[in-house]
């Protein structure tokens, strides 16, 4: 590639020169993204559940101590969401799925089904289980919820773990195809076209320099 | 004609000055806020201020790169490739800080690396001292963590290991800042740093890394005397000459150890204890997340700083999960493509610096790469300021990134 320096105006000129290729790249990327979304990816089903974790008031506890305990529960709720990706819990869920439903799945694939995070500033976290099988999504969520409740109780006997039954949780979400393909398709197309145009432009300049030297 | 030339030169100088102002504002904002956030001062920095600071810093860098920087086709190609990859990876892995870090690295084009190092040393030292002073006067808390080795003090940091890492990277920067004037007396600050980290934070990895840095500084300052021996010279030159491969070597070693780790092997158990359970967590990460091409979001809980108390409770232990190794976290969170890009990029960069006979630079990178096997700060610019060297200007450099018009550098000196 040539080492001729390009400033802002040169780069604008470069963009104008290769505009057609950039538009073409974006359109092709968008088209591939559209096809991927429509035909190459399956419809997925997601079940959600909300989980609230709290420590009850103990005898002899001062008001200040209880308040700080509540505050810690609220602050840590997001971190408890990590449990859905815990190796030990996933193995236990895997055993549960195998023994109760005869489902065989490896831990990496199982972990990909789950998402979790803090759902509100008041405390608590959500678990979402996504699968292309509606039944597996539901079974997966139930098994994970049971396992998390059990593990948390084993770790801390004083903790109260409660599942949420609200409008936002325990509802089914259906996603037809991979939505991100529509966003990333044109973006990838544009950048690849940009890289190609830089190479072509540089090659053209190099050719020009070579011709001048030959003459 | 002459007056036209003068106007053109004045315009160029103005442009360079503006470009430099943009960079340094972005640099101080970004590094200052990020460093302060790693200390107890974070309690006084609202999230909105931090986010706005990073947005302003990234915008200034973008303006600098798009409007003012001059680059050849090769540089443009690499910049677009890095920008694009980082953008996609940060979106997929939901780590926006990675994108801001990478922008700062790209924004270093034409900026003298020595100035970057000098400003980093002063800025970080001031912030760390202020943070420590606030703990002394009682404004903030000096976190203490009880361990088998005794009590670890965070010394104004959010976590003892964070403070230790800051001291280690600060000492690396100090050594390179002294570069041409480096004398045997410069081991003084290194010994003080070593004692500080060793006694107060009790962080083994950083203590070993500082000790290694100390040895390299002694060897470097005594090089003329040492090189008189033909065999010593041969060994040193071969070792330093091949040091550019270390990013790949360390990465392969830790990937292999983590991927093959099992509790059935006594050697692995011993090694896992030596690395304070890092092999186990890395292995869990491989088992649960696997390796993706463009990364994935990973939930991590360190339970450091203000939440230290929770780690001792059952729930704390149940939910503790942290990938400490920079190489492992890079592969799992940012994906294979980005990891390959970073490792290859680092190896090429170190090779180019070695070809330029910048031996001290290569020597400083050795403990950084070694400590990154067990530490997560390799890609964090508030710690590893040497990442900014990838695109920065080195005097008497022959690397492709510094094939820049010399007039800019002259103007920078004026500035």
């Amino acid at each position: 590639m040539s080492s001729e320096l390009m400033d802002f105006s040169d780069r604008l000129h470069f963009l104008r020169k290769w505009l057609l290729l950039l538009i073409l790249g974006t359109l092709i990327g968008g088209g591939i993204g559209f096809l991927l979304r429509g035909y190459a990816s399956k419809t997925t089903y997601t079940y959600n559940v909300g989980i609230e974790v709290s420590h009850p008031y103990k005898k002899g506890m001062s008001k200040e101590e209880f308040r700080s305990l509540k505050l810690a529960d609220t602050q840590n709720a997001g971190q408890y969401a990590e449990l859905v990706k815990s190796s030990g819990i996933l193995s236990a869920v895997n055993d549960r799925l195998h023994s109760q439903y005869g489902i065989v799945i490896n831990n990496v694939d199982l972990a990909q089904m789950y998402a979790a995070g803090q759902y509100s500033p008041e405390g608590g976290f959500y678990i979402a289980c996504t699968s292309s099988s509606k039944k597996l999504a539901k079974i997966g969520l139930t098994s994970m919820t049971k396992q998390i409740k059990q593990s948390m109780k084993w770790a801390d006997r004083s903790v109260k773990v409660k599942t949420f039954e609200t409008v936002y949780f325990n509802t089914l979400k259906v996603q037809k195809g991979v939505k991100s393909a529509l966003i990333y398709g044109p973006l990838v197309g544009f950048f690849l076209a940009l890289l190609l145009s830089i190479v072509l432009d540089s090659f053209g300049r190099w050719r020009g320099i070579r011709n001048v030297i030959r003459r | 004609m002459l007056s036209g030339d003068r106007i053109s030169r004045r315009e160029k100088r103005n442009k360079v000055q503006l470009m430099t102002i943009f960079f340094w504002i972005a640099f101080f904002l970004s590094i200052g806020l990020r460093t302060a956030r790693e200390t107890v001062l974070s309690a006084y920095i609202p999230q909105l201020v931090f986010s706005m600071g990073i947005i302003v810093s990234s915008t200034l860098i973008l303006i600098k790169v798009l409007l003012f920087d001059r680059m050849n086709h090769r540089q443009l190609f690499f910049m677009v490739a890095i920008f694009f990859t980082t953008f996609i990876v940060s979106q997929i892995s939901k780590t926006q800080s990675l994108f801001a870090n990478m922008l700062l690295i790209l924004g270093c084009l034409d900026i003298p690396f020595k100035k970057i190092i000098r400003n980093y040393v002063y800025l970080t030292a001031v912030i760390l001292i202020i943070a420590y002073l606030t703990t002394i006067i009682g404004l903030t808390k000096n976190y203490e963590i009880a361990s088998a080795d005794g009590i670890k003090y965070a010394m104004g940091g959010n976590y003892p290991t964070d403070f230790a890492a800051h001291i280690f990277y600060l000492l690396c920067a100090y050594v390179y800042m002294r570069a041409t004037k480096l004398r045997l007396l410069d081991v003084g600050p290194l010994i003080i740093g070593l004692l500080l980290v060793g006694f107060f934070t009790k962080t083994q990895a950083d203590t070993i890394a500082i000790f290694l840095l100390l040895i390299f500084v002694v060897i470097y300052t005594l090089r003329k005397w040492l090189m008189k021996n033909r065999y010593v010279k041969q060994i040193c030159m071969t070792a330093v000459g091949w040091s550019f491969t270390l990013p790949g070597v360390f990465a392969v070693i830790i990937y292999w150890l983590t991927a093959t780790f099992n509790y059935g092997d006594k050697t692995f158990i011993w090694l896992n204890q030596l690395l304070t359970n890092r092999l186990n967590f890395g292995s869990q990460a491989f088992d649960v997340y696997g390796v993706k091409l463009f990364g994935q979001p990973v939930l991590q809980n360190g339970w450091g700083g203000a939440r230290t108390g929770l780690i001792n409770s059952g729930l704390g232990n149940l939910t503790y999960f942290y990938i400490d190794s920079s190489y492992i976290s890079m592969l799992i969170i940012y994906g294979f493509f980005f990891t390959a890009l970073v490792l290859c990029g680092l190896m090429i960069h170190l090779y180019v610096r070695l070809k330029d006979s910048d031996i001290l630079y290569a020597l400083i990178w050795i403990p950084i790469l070694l400590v990154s096997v067990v530490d997560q700060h390799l890609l964090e610019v508030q710690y590893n300021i040497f990442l900014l060297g990838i695109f920065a200007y080195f005097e008497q450099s022959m690397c492709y990134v510094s094939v820049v018009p010399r007039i800019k550098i002259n103007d920078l000196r004026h500035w």
Side-chain angles (χ1 to χ4, degrees):
Chain A
M1 286 190 205
S2 74
S3 59
E4 207 171 303
L5 293 166
M6 296 164 87
D7 60 15
F8 179 60
S9 57
D10 292 329
R11 287 198 290 269
L12 275 184
H13 176 72
F14 163 83
L15 283 178
R16 250 182 276 139
K17 189 178 165 188
W18 295 99
L19 189 64
L20 203 67
L21 181 67
L22 296 176
I23 293 172
L24 199 70
T26 313
L27 288 176
I28 291 173
I32 293 172
F34 183 76
L35 289 175
L36 275 175
R37 198 211 165 175
Y39 302 102
S41 53
K42 292 175 183 173
T43 301
T44 56
Y45 303 91
T46 305
Y47 277 99
N48 297 282
V49 71
I51 294 182
E52 192 188 69
V53 183
S54 61
H55 286 84
Y57 178 80
K58 276 184 202 166
K59 257 189 176 179
M61 203 180 247
S62 69
K63 269 188 181 175
E64 195 52 47
E65 278 174 335
F66 184 59
R67 200 177 295 140
S68 62
L69 196 67
K70 281 278 166 206
L71 187 71
D73 280 336
T74 311
Q75 285 178 341
N76 296 331
Q79 271 70 42
Y80 296 144
E82 151 64 23
L83 286 169
V84 297
K85 301 281 183 178
S86 154
S87 179
I89 286 185
L90 279 167
S91 296
V93 171
N94 211 338
D95 290 344
R96 214 180 258 263
L97 287 173
H98 182 63
S99 59
Q100 289 183 8
Y101 306 99
I103 295 165
V104 179
I105 189 168
N106 69 51
N107 268 4
V108 173
D109 288 340
L110 186 68
Q112 302 303 316
M113 285 166 55
Y114 297 106
Q118 191 164 8
Y119 71 80
S120 75
E122 286 90 41
F125 63 99
Y126 72 88
I127 305 172
C129 184
T130 306
S131 170
S132 56
S133 154
K134 202 171 166 181
K135 193 183 164 194
L136 184 59
K138 190 156 195 177
I139 293 170
L141 186 74
T142 316
S143 305
M144 177 56 85
T145 313
K146 278 182 185 169
Q147 189 56 49
I148 283 182
K149 275 183 167 180
Q150 197 181 67
S151 299
M152 289 187 98
K153 287 295 266 179
W154 278 346
D156 186 350
R157 287 197 177 277
S158 67
V159 78
K160 266 189 174 178
V161 190
K162 197 170 76 180
T163 48
F164 261 81
E165 302 282 340
T166 68
V167 188
Y168 303 106
F169 298 108
N170 256 348
T171 50
L172 175 68
K173 281 179 193 161
V174 183
Q175 175 74 56
K176 287 188 175 151
V178 185
K179 210 175 173 182
S180 56
L182 278 180
I183 304 160
Y184 289 118
L187 203 68
V188 172
F190 172 78
F191 273 107
L192 288 180
L194 187 59
L195 290 176
L196 182 67
S197 54
I198 295 169
V199 173
L200 290 176
D201 195 69
S202 153
F203 191 63
R205 276 170 191 243
W206 183 75
R207 260 188 173 176
I209 293 163
R210 198 177 57 178
N211 288 343
V212 169
I213 294 166
R214 271 186 185 170
R215 266 182 231 156
Chain B
M1 185 71 186
L2 195 68
S3 78
D5 260 7
R6 274 182 193 158
I7 291 167
S8 165
R9 283 187 73 178
R10 198 187 302 154
E11 271 179 5
K12 273 182 187 171
R13 183 169 294 179
N14 287 345
K15 253 187 178 180
V16 171
Q17 287 190 346
L18 203 61
M19 171 191 100
T20 321
I21 293 169
F22 275 34
F23 175 80
W24 288 119
I25 293 174
F27 177 87
F28 280 107
L29 258 179
S30 181
I31 301 289
L33 280 172
R34 280 156 195 264
T35 308
R37 218 175 140 84
E38 303 279 323
T39 66
V40 284
L41 297 176
S42 59
Y44 295 96
I45 305 170
Q47 178 62 35
L48 186 70
V49 173
F50 179 76
S51 304
M52 286 308 292
I54 298 298
I55 288 169
V56 169
S57 153
S58 301
T59 312
L60 288 174
I61 290 288
L62 267 178
I63 292 171
K64 177 193 174 280
V65 173
L66 290 175
L67 299 186
F68 300 118
D69 278 348
R70 297 177 73 195
M71 57 196 85
N72 60 29
H73 279 81
R74 189 162 32 186
Q75 288 169 333
L76 186 64
F77 182 87
F78 282 120
M79 281 191 152
V80 169
I82 292 169
F83 182 88
F84 166 57
T85 312
T86 314
F87 178 74
I88 297 283
V89 165
S90 64
Q91 288 301 308
I92 293 174
S93 63
K94 293 186 173 69
T95 44
Q96 312 309 333
S97 60
L98 176 77
F99 189 60
N101 275 353
M102 208 48 81
L103 273 180
L104 196 63
I105 294 169
L106 295 180
C108 288
L109 197 72
D110 293 355
I111 304 292
F113 187 59
K114 277 202 164 178
K115 277 194 174 180
I116 294 175
I117 284 287
R118 199 178 58 203
N119 288 334
Y120 167 81
V121 169
Y122 294 143
L123 179 68
T124 311
V126 166
I127 292 171
L128 291 183
I129 289 168
I130 292 173
Y132 181 59
L133 287 178
T134 59
T135 64
I136 290 177
I137 59 173
L139 266 176
T140 53
K141 197 180 169 188
N142 187 1
Y143 294 121
E144 295 169 10
I145 292 177
S147 71
D149 304 325
I151 294 173
K152 296 175 176 183
Y153 296 94
M155 309 288 285
N158 274 341
Y159 204 66
T161 49
D162 283 350
F163 177 76
H166 265 307
I167 296 295
F168 164 62
Y169 283 103
L170 200 60
L171 289 172
C172 288
Y174 169 77
V175 168
Y176 198 70
M177 187 176 86
R178 295 280 301 154
T180 50
K181 297 170 195 161
L182 199 66
R183 302 282 178 272
L184 207 53
L185 274 176
D186 285 307
V187 298
L190 293 180
I191 292 170
I192 294 169
L194 185 73
L195 296 174
L196 190 71
V197 169
F199 283 114
F200 291 101
T201 70
K202 295 184 174 63
T203 311
Q204 287 173 7
D206 290 299
T207 310
I208 293 167
I210 295 172
F211 185 66
L212 199 62
L213 183 70
L214 189 105
I215 291 171
F216 286 154
V217 168
V218 172
I219 291 173
Y220 185 79
T221 48
L222 299 176
R223 65 190 181 282
K224 279 182 188 163
W225 181 73
L226 284 169
M227 294 302 156
K228 281 178 187 166
N229 186 313
R230 198 157 56 95
Y231 297 108
V232 174
K233 186 181 178 182
Q234 189 71 32
I235 292 166
C236 286
M237 293 316 283
T238 312
V240 175
W242 282 97
S243 65
F244 74 93
T245 58
L246 285 178
V249 171
F250 285 140
V252 168
I253 290 173
I254 192 69
Y255 294 153
W256 177 74
L257 284 174
T258 311
T260 55
F261 169 75
N262 68 79
Y263 274 112
D265 194 318
K266 276 183 183 173
T267 319
F268 272 126
I269 294 172
W270 172 78
L271 207 58
N272 187 43
Q273 277 172 349
L274 189 76
L275 298 172
T276 48
N277 215 18
R278 283 174 170 90
L279 284 185
N280 176 33
F281 284 120
S283 174
Q284 277 187 33
F286 273 128
D287 285 348
V288 170
Y289 291 98
V291 179
K292 299 276 175 66
L293 199 60
F294 287 102
Q296 60 197 311
V298 171
L299 297 167
Q300 294 188 86
N301 275 337
W303 294 122
R307 291 180 176 161
T308 305
L310 252 163
I311 198 169
N312 298 321
S313 82
L315 281 179
N317 286 332
L318 184 71
T319 53
Y320 183 88
F321 175 74
Y322 206 86
I323 311 170
D324 284 294
S325 168
S326 294
Y327 301 102
I328 304 280
S329 63
M330 190 159 60
L331 185 65
I332 289 169
I333 301 171
Y334 306 137
F336 176 80
F337 193 78
F338 182 83
T339 305
L341 192 78
V342 169
L343 293 178
C344 291
L346 273 180
M347 285 195 278
I348 293 169
H349 175 61
L350 287 176
Y351 178 76
V352 172
R353 295 305 316 138
L354 277 170
K355 269 190 86 178
D356 258 4
S357 308
D358 197 350
I359 290 170
L360 186 64
Y361 187 79
L363 283 177
I364 290 170
W365 264 100
I366 297 173
I368 292 177
L369 292 167
L370 179 70
V371 82
S372 297
V373 170
V374 291
D375 211 0
Q376 75 275 26
H377 304 302
L378 181 68
L379 291 182
E380 294 171 7
V381 286
Q382 69 270 34
Y383 289 94
N384 187 7
I385 199 69
F386 288 85
L387 280 175
L388 269 59
I390 295 173
F391 278 92
Y393 168 74
F394 284 85
E395 282 171 31
Q396 297 163 346
S397 168
M398 298 292 284
C399 62
Y400 72 88
V401 286
S402 63
V403 184
V404 289
R406 292 291 177 247
I407 185 166
K408 284 189 173 180
I409 304 310
N410 291 333
D411 287 345
L412 287 176
R413 285 196 191 111
H414 285 294
W415 170 252

